Amino acid sequence: QVQLEQSGAEVKKPGASVKVSCKASGYTFTSYYIHWVRQAPGQGLEWMAILNPTHDSTTYAQRLQGRISVTTDTSTGTVYMELSSLKSEDTAVYYCARGTGSPDYWGQGTLVTVSS
Amino acid sequence: DIQMTQSPPSLSASVGDRVTITCRASQGITHYLAWFQQKPGKAPKSLIYAASSLQSGLPSKFSGSGSGTDFTLTISSLQPEDFATYYCQQYDSYPYTFGQGTKLEIK
């Protein structure tokens, strides 16, 4: 069965970086893109980025450009999302999701808390 | 960026009711529209893709329609497990924007 297993919760100080992992299993890793979506406490969903694992190409939301980096380790089927220069507004649950068009399967989410 | 506007922001309904949620795009997105259900503390769950295609394994009580700029999600015969927040998302062009959500509550 398709599974996306994300790394555990993180607490970071303002200005630091965080790296969240998403390990895919149960399907051919290179056949589907991986999205990153976040949700601040009590807020809606925000699309952040998409990775094409076949070509290792990425597209980022303009508002995060320069602070976000999505990379992949095709040998293990793992995708990494790194967000730098963290601000309190980056406190959110971060989700990875599979889907070449819209997402179909989602990870369980990773809570990232940015606090001094 | 394409703006997605959902209405209503919240909705009260009773078990057994049929409800409709609307999503409007700020520009045409043909049929590149998805719907998601989210319960508190849980990851979103994919319901509909390509405006009207039901994700595998889901009951036919969920249906989507529309094209261009105007879309609807209809849920028939509401059950207690259907009370949640619903989001639309366009995937016609980057960034793949979401609507602000519609919270479906029990009356």
Side-chain angles (χ1 to χ4, degrees):
Chain A
Q1 70 282 23
V2 175
Q3 286 193 311
L4 298 172
E5 188 68 29
Q6 297 183 224
S7 49
E10 303 263 12
V11 179
K12 296 292 183 180
K13 293 194 182 300
S17 297
V18 68
K19 194 169 187 176
V20 179
S21 68
C22 170
K23 182 172 174 56
S25 61
Y27 70 97
T28 301
F29 178 66
T30 51
S31 294
Y32 293 84
Y33 291 19
I34 293 289
H35 302 246
W36 286 92
V37 173
R38 69 179 179 178
Q39 186 170 39
Q43 302 302 307
L45 301 170
E46 179 188 7
W47 185 87
M48 302 173 67
I50 191 167
L51 166 81
N52 176 346
T54 300
H55 300 117
D56 199 13
S57 62
T58 53
T59 299
Y60 302 125
Q62 182 76 19
R63 66 190 300 265
L64 296 172
Q65 200 86 28
R67 291 204 299 134
I68 187 171
S69 176
V70 175
T71 56
T72 185
D73 181 348
T74 306
S75 67
T76 62
T78 303
V79 180
Y80 301 91
M81 188 283 300
E82 185 168 21
L83 192 61
S84 61
S85 302
L86 289 168
K87 316 167 192 177
S88 58
E89 308 91 272
D90 294 317
T91 294
V93 176
Y94 289 75
Y95 295 102
C96 63
R98 183 193 87 158
T100 299
S102 68
D104 56 5
Y105 287 90
W106 295 68
Q108 82 274 21
T110 297
L111 175 62
V112 175
T113 302
V114 183
S115 174
S116 56
Chain B
D1 297 2
I2 298 175
Q3 307 243 5
M4 305 302 292
T5 304
Q6 283 183 238
S7 60
S10 64
L11 180 57
S12 291
S14 301
V15 172
D17 283 354
R18 171 177 147 140
V19 297
T20 297
I21 299 168
T22 297
C23 181
R24 175 165 287 176
S26 61
Q27 63 190 70
I29 58 171
T30 61
H31 61 282
Y32 295 110
L33 191 284
W35 289 97
F36 304 92
Q37 175 194 69
Q38 188 180 32
K39 297 180 180 179
K42 299 294 187 181
K45 178 180 179 180
S46 304
L47 300 177
I48 300 282
Y49 64 97
S52 60
S53 296
L54 188 65
Q55 288 285 357
S56 176
L58 293 183
S60 59
K61 63 186 302 178
F62 297 100
S63 63
S65 66
S67 66
T69 59
D70 294 309
F71 302 87
T72 59
L73 172 70
T74 299
I75 312 169
S76 61
S77 186
L78 281 171
Q79 296 302 304
E81 61 269 23
D82 299 327
F83 292 91
T85 299
Y86 292 83
Y87 294 93
C88 62
Q89 184 202 29
Q90 67 81 18
Y91 55 103
D92 177 77
S93 61
Y94 298 127
Y96 288 173
T97 41
F98 289 90
Q100 78 279 19
T102 294
K103 187 173 184 178
L104 177 57
E105 299 174 303
I106 298 179
K107 187 182 289 183

mmCIF file of all heavy atoms in Angstrom, chain A residues 70-106:
data_model
loop_
_atom_site.group_PDB
_atom_site.id
_atom_site.type_symbol
_atom_site.label_atom_id
_atom_site.label_comp_id
_atom_site.label_asym_id
_atom_site.label_seq_id
_atom_site.Cartn_x
_atom_site.Cartn_y
_atom_site.Cartn_z
ATOM 1 N N VAL A 70 13.928 21.677 -1.962
ATOM 2 C CA VAL A 70 13.403 20.307 -1.942
ATOM 3 C C VAL A 70 14.366 19.427 -2.731
ATOM 4 O O VAL A 70 14.689 19.725 -3.882
ATOM 5 C CB VAL A 70 11.986 20.241 -2.548
ATOM 6 C CG1 VAL A 70 11.508 18.794 -2.630
ATOM 7 C CG2 VAL A 70 11.010 21.057 -1.702
ATOM 8 N N THR A 71 14.811 18.371 -2.085
ATOM 9 C CA THR A 71 15.771 17.465 -2.707
ATOM 10 C C THR A 71 15.283 16.038 -2.569
ATOM 11 O O THR A 71 14.340 15.751 -1.813
ATOM 12 C CB THR A 71 17.153 17.613 -2.051
ATOM 13 O OG1 THR A 71 17.025 17.387 -0.635
ATOM 14 C CG2 THR A 71 17.736 18.996 -2.302
ATOM 15 N N THR A 72 15.933 15.134 -3.291
ATOM 16 C CA THR A 72 15.494 13.744 -3.260
ATOM 17 C C THR A 72 16.667 12.786 -3.237
ATOM 18 O O THR A 72 17.745 13.095 -3.761
ATOM 19 C CB THR A 72 14.587 13.444 -4.475
ATOM 20 O OG1 THR A 72 14.079 12.107 -4.361
ATOM 21 C CG2 THR A 72 15.346 13.581 -5.793
ATOM 22 N N ASP A 73 16.459 11.650 -2.598
ATOM 23 C CA ASP A 73 17.384 10.529 -2.637
ATOM 24 C C ASP A 73 16.622 9.383 -3.283
ATOM 25 O O ASP A 73 15.862 8.677 -2.622
ATOM 26 C CB ASP A 73 17.842 10.175 -1.220
ATOM 27 C CG ASP A 73 18.834 9.015 -1.219
ATOM 28 O OD1 ASP A 73 18.995 8.345 -2.264
ATOM 29 O OD2 ASP A 73 19.442 8.781 -0.169
ATOM 30 N N THR A 74 16.803 9.255 -4.596
ATOM 31 C CA THR A 74 16.036 8.266 -5.344
ATOM 32 C C THR A 74 16.340 6.842 -4.876
ATOM 33 O O THR A 74 15.470 5.975 -4.942
ATOM 34 C CB THR A 74 16.325 8.413 -6.845
ATOM 35 O OG1 THR A 74 16.094 9.763 -7.242
ATOM 36 C CG2 THR A 74 15.448 7.508 -7.665
ATOM 37 N N SER A 75 17.537 6.616 -4.374
ATOM 38 C CA SER A 75 17.940 5.262 -3.964
ATOM 39 C C SER A 75 17.108 4.762 -2.782
ATOM 40 O O SER A 75 16.902 3.556 -2.614
ATOM 41 C CB SER A 75 19.423 5.220 -3.613
ATOM 42 O OG SER A 75 19.683 5.984 -2.449
ATOM 43 N N THR A 76 16.614 5.688 -1.944
ATOM 44 C CA THR A 76 15.809 5.305 -0.775
ATOM 45 C C THR A 76 14.361 5.749 -0.909
ATOM 46 O O THR A 76 13.550 5.467 -0.026
ATOM 47 C CB THR A 76 16.387 5.928 0.502
ATOM 48 O OG1 THR A 76 16.333 7.352 0.392
ATOM 49 C CG2 THR A 76 17.825 5.474 0.732
ATOM 50 N N GLY A 77 14.019 6.463 -1.967
ATOM 51 C CA GLY A 77 12.651 6.959 -2.121
ATOM 52 C C GLY A 77 12.295 8.015 -1.102
ATOM 53 O O GLY A 77 11.160 8.078 -0.621
ATOM 54 N N THR A 78 13.234 8.842 -0.752
ATOM 55 C CA THR A 78 13.020 9.853 0.284
ATOM 56 C C THR A 78 13.156 11.256 -0.312
ATOM 57 O O THR A 78 14.066 11.521 -1.098
ATOM 58 C CB THR A 78 14.019 9.686 1.435
ATOM 59 O OG1 THR A 78 13.896 8.369 1.975
ATOM 60 C CG2 THR A 78 13.751 10.704 2.547
ATOM 61 N N VAL A 79 12.245 12.114 0.066
ATOM 62 C CA VAL A 79 12.263 13.518 -0.342
ATOM 63 C C VAL A 79 12.481 14.371 0.904
ATOM 64 O O VAL A 79 11.944 14.065 1.971
ATOM 65 C CB VAL A 79 10.950 13.916 -1.034
ATOM 66 C CG1 VAL A 79 10.966 15.386 -1.457
ATOM 67 C CG2 VAL A 79 10.698 13.022 -2.253
ATOM 68 N N TYR A 80 13.285 15.410 0.756
ATOM 69 C CA TYR A 80 13.604 16.311 1.868
ATOM 70 C C TYR A 80 13.141 17.727 1.527
ATOM 71 O O TYR A 80 13.343 18.200 0.404
ATOM 72 C CB TYR A 80 15.105 16.329 2.135
ATOM 73 C CG TYR A 80 15.672 14.983 2.472
ATOM 74 C CD1 TYR A 80 16.169 14.138 1.470
ATOM 75 C CD2 TYR A 80 15.712 14.533 3.791
ATOM 76 C CE1 TYR A 80 16.684 12.890 1.770
ATOM 77 C CE2 TYR A 80 16.230 13.279 4.104
ATOM 78 C CZ TYR A 80 16.706 12.469 3.084
ATOM 79 O OH TYR A 80 17.211 11.229 3.392
ATOM 80 N N MET A 81 12.564 18.393 2.516
ATOM 81 C CA MET A 81 12.182 19.799 2.371
ATOM 82 C C MET A 81 12.919 20.585 3.432
ATOM 83 O O MET A 81 12.754 20.329 4.629
ATOM 84 C CB MET A 81 10.675 19.968 2.540
ATOM 85 C CG MET A 81 10.130 21.369 2.221
ATOM 86 S SD MET A 81 10.408 22.622 3.499
ATOM 87 C CE MET A 81 9.524 21.872 4.874
ATOM 88 N N GLU A 82 13.763 21.515 2.994
ATOM 89 C CA GLU A 82 14.506 22.351 3.926
ATOM 90 C C GLU A 82 14.025 23.784 3.809
ATOM 91 O O GLU A 82 13.932 24.333 2.704
ATOM 92 C CB GLU A 82 16.011 22.278 3.660
ATOM 93 C CG GLU A 82 16.825 23.054 4.686
ATOM 94 C CD GLU A 82 18.311 22.743 4.606
ATOM 95 O OE1 GLU A 82 18.777 22.262 3.562
ATOM 96 O OE2 GLU A 82 19.010 22.984 5.616
ATOM 97 N N LEU A 83 13.705 24.384 4.937
ATOM 98 C CA LEU A 83 13.263 25.779 4.986
ATOM 99 C C LEU A 83 14.234 26.530 5.890
ATOM 100 O O LEU A 83 14.480 26.109 7.028
ATOM 101 C CB LEU A 83 11.843 25.872 5.512
ATOM 102 C CG LEU A 83 11.125 27.215 5.377
ATOM 103 C CD1 LEU A 83 10.977 27.632 3.914
ATOM 104 C CD2 LEU A 83 9.754 27.172 6.043
ATOM 105 N N SER A 84 14.788 27.619 5.374
ATOM 106 C CA SER A 84 15.803 28.363 6.113
ATOM 107 C C SER A 84 15.267 29.710 6.602
ATOM 108 O O SER A 84 14.128 30.093 6.272
ATOM 109 C CB SER A 84 17.033 28.581 5.235
ATOM 110 O OG SER A 84 16.678 29.343 4.084
ATOM 111 N N SER A 85 16.090 30.405 7.372
ATOM 112 C CA SER A 85 15.734 31.725 7.911
ATOM 113 C C SER A 85 14.336 31.711 8.517
ATOM 114 O O SER A 85 13.479 32.546 8.203
ATOM 115 C CB SER A 85 15.829 32.807 6.820
ATOM 116 O OG SER A 85 17.122 32.848 6.271
ATOM 117 N N LEU A 86 14.115 30.737 9.388
ATOM 118 C CA LEU A 86 12.778 30.525 9.950
ATOM 119 C C LEU A 86 12.278 31.728 10.736
ATOM 120 O O LEU A 86 13.046 32.395 11.440
ATOM 121 C CB LEU A 86 12.768 29.277 10.834
ATOM 122 C CG LEU A 86 12.873 27.944 10.095
ATOM 123 C CD1 LEU A 86 13.150 26.817 11.078
ATOM 124 C CD2 LEU A 86 11.636 27.670 9.282
ATOM 125 N N LYS A 87 10.969 31.983 10.603
ATOM 126 C CA LYS A 87 10.279 33.043 11.332
ATOM 127 C C LYS A 87 9.145 32.394 12.125
ATOM 128 O O LYS A 87 8.745 31.260 11.824
ATOM 129 C CB LYS A 87 9.687 34.061 10.366
ATOM 130 C CG LYS A 87 10.589 34.475 9.237
ATOM 131 C CD LYS A 87 9.816 35.223 8.157
ATOM 132 C CE LYS A 87 10.645 35.369 6.899
ATOM 133 N NZ LYS A 87 9.919 36.021 5.807
ATOM 134 N N SER A 88 8.592 33.139 13.069
ATOM 135 C CA SER A 88 7.488 32.576 13.848
ATOM 136 C C SER A 88 6.315 32.188 12.930
ATOM 137 O O SER A 88 5.590 31.231 13.219
ATOM 138 C CB SER A 88 7.031 33.577 14.903
ATOM 139 O OG SER A 88 6.640 34.805 14.305
ATOM 140 N N GLU A 89 6.148 32.923 11.841
ATOM 141 C CA GLU A 89 5.044 32.634 10.897
ATOM 142 C C GLU A 89 5.215 31.296 10.164
ATOM 143 O O GLU A 89 4.290 30.836 9.493
ATOM 144 C CB GLU A 89 4.924 33.730 9.838
ATOM 145 C CG GLU A 89 4.830 35.148 10.367
ATOM 146 C CD GLU A 89 6.198 35.783 10.493
ATOM 147 O OE1 GLU A 89 6.827 35.621 11.564
ATOM 148 O OE2 GLU A 89 6.633 36.456 9.532
ATOM 149 N N ASP A 90 6.388 30.696 10.274
ATOM 150 C CA ASP A 90 6.620 29.387 9.655
ATOM 151 C C ASP A 90 6.161 28.237 10.553
ATOM 152 O O ASP A 90 6.222 27.071 10.146
ATOM 153 C CB ASP A 90 8.098 29.203 9.314
ATOM 154 C CG ASP A 90 8.571 30.180 8.230
ATOM 155 O OD1 ASP A 90 7.836 30.375 7.247
ATOM 156 O OD2 ASP A 90 9.677 30.746 8.385
ATOM 157 N N THR A 91 5.708 28.554 11.752
ATOM 158 C CA THR A 91 5.148 27.518 12.629
ATOM 159 C C THR A 91 3.923 26.923 11.953
ATOM 160 O O THR A 91 2.960 27.635 11.640
ATOM 161 C CB THR A 91 4.770 28.112 13.996
ATOM 162 O OG1 THR A 91 5.948 28.530 14.675
ATOM 163 C CG2 THR A 91 4.024 27.086 14.842
ATOM 164 N N ALA A 92 3.965 25.615 11.720
ATOM 165 C CA ALA A 92 2.909 24.964 10.950
ATOM 166 C C ALA A 92 3.117 23.459 10.970
ATOM 167 O O ALA A 92 4.176 22.960 11.366
ATOM 168 C CB ALA A 92 2.918 25.457 9.494
ATOM 169 N N VAL A 93 2.103 22.743 10.507
ATOM 170 C CA VAL A 93 2.261 21.330 10.178
ATOM 171 C C VAL A 93 2.605 21.266 8.687
ATOM 172 O O VAL A 93 1.923 21.885 7.861
ATOM 173 C CB VAL A 93 0.970 20.533 10.455
ATOM 174 C CG1 VAL A 93 1.147 19.087 10.000
ATOM 175 C CG2 VAL A 93 0.623 20.581 11.939
ATOM 176 N N TYR A 94 3.676 20.547 8.382
ATOM 177 C CA TYR A 94 4.156 20.408 7.007
ATOM 178 C C TYR A 94 3.803 19.013 6.513
ATOM 179 O O TYR A 94 4.105 18.019 7.178
ATOM 180 C CB TYR A 94 5.664 20.646 6.945
ATOM 181 C CG TYR A 94 6.015 22.108 7.172
ATOM 182 C CD1 TYR A 94 5.961 22.661 8.456
ATOM 183 C CD2 TYR A 94 6.364 22.939 6.107
ATOM 184 C CE1 TYR A 94 6.243 24.012 8.657
ATOM 185 C CE2 TYR A 94 6.660 24.282 6.303
ATOM 186 C CZ TYR A 94 6.583 24.806 7.582
ATOM 187 O OH TYR A 94 6.861 26.146 7.779
ATOM 188 N N TYR A 95 3.162 18.957 5.341
ATOM 189 C CA TYR A 95 2.755 17.688 4.745
ATOM 190 C C TYR A 95 3.483 17.462 3.423
ATOM 191 O O TYR A 95 3.629 18.397 2.621
ATOM 192 C CB TYR A 95 1.254 17.691 4.426
ATOM 193 C CG TYR A 95 0.323 17.785 5.601
ATOM 194 C CD1 TYR A 95 -0.292 18.987 5.941
ATOM 195 C CD2 TYR A 95 0.004 16.660 6.365
ATOM 196 C CE1 TYR A 95 -1.185 19.077 6.997
ATOM 197 C CE2 TYR A 95 -0.876 16.735 7.431
ATOM 198 C CZ TYR A 95 -1.465 17.945 7.742
ATOM 199 O OH TYR A 95 -2.347 18.021 8.799
ATOM 200 N N CYS A 96 3.879 16.219 3.182
ATOM 201 C CA CYS A 96 4.239 15.822 1.834
ATOM 202 C C CYS A 96 3.049 15.048 1.273
ATOM 203 O O CYS A 96 2.261 14.461 2.024
ATOM 204 C CB CYS A 96 5.518 14.995 1.791
ATOM 205 S SG CYS A 96 5.446 13.400 2.645
ATOM 206 N N ALA A 97 2.921 15.059 -0.037
ATOM 207 C CA ALA A 97 1.809 14.370 -0.673
ATOM 208 C C ALA A 97 2.241 13.918 -2.060
ATOM 209 O O ALA A 97 3.001 14.614 -2.738
ATOM 210 C CB ALA A 97 0.593 15.295 -0.771
ATOM 211 N N ARG A 98 1.738 12.771 -2.476
ATOM 212 C CA ARG A 98 2.065 12.225 -3.793
ATOM 213 C C ARG A 98 1.047 12.687 -4.812
ATOM 214 O O ARG A 98 -0.154 12.749 -4.532
ATOM 215 C CB ARG A 98 2.046 10.691 -3.709
ATOM 216 C CG ARG A 98 2.441 9.994 -4.978
ATOM 217 C CD ARG A 98 2.105 8.504 -4.928
ATOM 218 N NE ARG A 98 0.742 8.253 -5.372
ATOM 219 C CZ ARG A 98 0.321 7.073 -5.837
ATOM 220 N NH1 ARG A 98 1.163 6.060 -5.886
ATOM 221 N NH2 ARG A 98 -0.932 6.909 -6.212
ATOM 222 N N GLY A 99 1.524 12.976 -6.023
ATOM 223 C CA GLY A 99 0.552 13.291 -7.062
ATOM 224 C C GLY A 99 1.167 14.033 -8.217
ATOM 225 O O GLY A 99 1.807 15.053 -8.016
ATOM 226 N N THR A 100 0.971 13.541 -9.411
ATOM 227 C CA THR A 100 1.504 14.224 -10.583
ATOM 228 C C THR A 100 0.610 15.395 -10.962
ATOM 229 O O THR A 100 1.076 16.423 -11.437
ATOM 230 C CB THR A 100 1.667 13.241 -11.747
ATOM 231 O OG1 THR A 100 2.584 12.226 -11.346
ATOM 232 C CG2 THR A 100 2.195 13.929 -12.985
ATOM 233 N N GLY A 101 -0.668 15.272 -10.719
ATOM 234 C CA GLY A 101 -1.588 16.398 -10.834
ATOM 235 C C GLY A 101 -1.870 16.871 -9.429
ATOM 236 O O GLY A 101 -0.999 17.382 -8.740
ATOM 237 N N SER A 102 -3.078 16.653 -8.972
ATOM 238 C CA SER A 102 -3.380 16.952 -7.574
ATOM 239 C C SER A 102 -2.897 15.798 -6.695
ATOM 240 O O SER A 102 -2.746 14.667 -7.173
ATOM 241 C CB SER A 102 -4.877 17.148 -7.393
ATOM 242 O OG SER A 102 -5.560 15.931 -7.578
ATOM 243 N N PRO A 103 -2.653 16.084 -5.404
ATOM 244 C CA PRO A 103 -2.213 15.012 -4.522
ATOM 245 C C PRO A 103 -3.278 13.935 -4.346
ATOM 246 O O PRO A 103 -4.473 14.230 -4.318
ATOM 247 C CB PRO A 103 -1.973 15.742 -3.197
ATOM 248 C CG PRO A 103 -1.761 17.169 -3.559
ATOM 249 C CD PRO A 103 -2.644 17.398 -4.736
ATOM 250 N N ASP A 104 -2.831 12.669 -4.221
ATOM 251 C CA ASP A 104 -3.782 11.614 -3.875
ATOM 252 C C ASP A 104 -3.477 10.998 -2.517
ATOM 253 O O ASP A 104 -4.384 10.770 -1.732
ATOM 254 C CB ASP A 104 -3.896 10.559 -4.988
ATOM 255 C CG ASP A 104 -2.578 9.917 -5.381
ATOM 256 O OD1 ASP A 104 -1.542 10.208 -4.740
ATOM 257 O OD2 ASP A 104 -2.578 9.111 -6.325
ATOM 258 N N TYR A 105 -2.229 10.717 -2.203
ATOM 259 C CA TYR A 105 -1.862 10.202 -0.894
ATOM 260 C C TYR A 105 -1.029 11.246 -0.156
ATOM 261 O O TYR A 105 -0.187 11.916 -0.763
ATOM 262 C CB TYR A 105 -1.066 8.903 -1.020
ATOM 263 C CG TYR A 105 -1.910 7.722 -1.420
ATOM 264 C CD1 TYR A 105 -2.083 7.413 -2.768
ATOM 265 C CD2 TYR A 105 -2.523 6.916 -0.467
ATOM 266 C CE1 TYR A 105 -2.861 6.331 -3.155
ATOM 267 C CE2 TYR A 105 -3.296 5.837 -0.846
ATOM 268 C CZ TYR A 105 -3.458 5.556 -2.185
ATOM 269 O OH TYR A 105 -4.228 4.478 -2.564
ATOM 270 N N TRP A 106 -1.282 11.339 1.186
ATOM 271 C CA TRP A 106 -0.621 12.341 2.020
ATOM 272 C C TRP A 106 0.172 11.682 3.137
ATOM 273 O O TRP A 106 -0.232 10.621 3.645
ATOM 274 C CB TRP A 106 -1.662 13.263 2.645
ATOM 275 C CG TRP A 106 -2.422 14.108 1.665
ATOM 276 C CD1 TRP A 106 -3.327 13.674 0.737
ATOM 277 C CD2 TRP A 106 -2.369 15.525 1.531
ATOM 278 N NE1 TRP A 106 -3.813 14.738 0.026
ATOM 279 C CE2 TRP A 106 -3.247 15.893 0.493
ATOM 280 C CE3 TRP A 106 -1.646 16.534 2.188
ATOM 281 C CZ2 TRP A 106 -3.433 17.215 0.095
ATOM 282 C CZ3 TRP A 106 -1.840 17.847 1.801
ATOM 283 C CH2 TRP A 106 -2.714 18.189 0.765
#
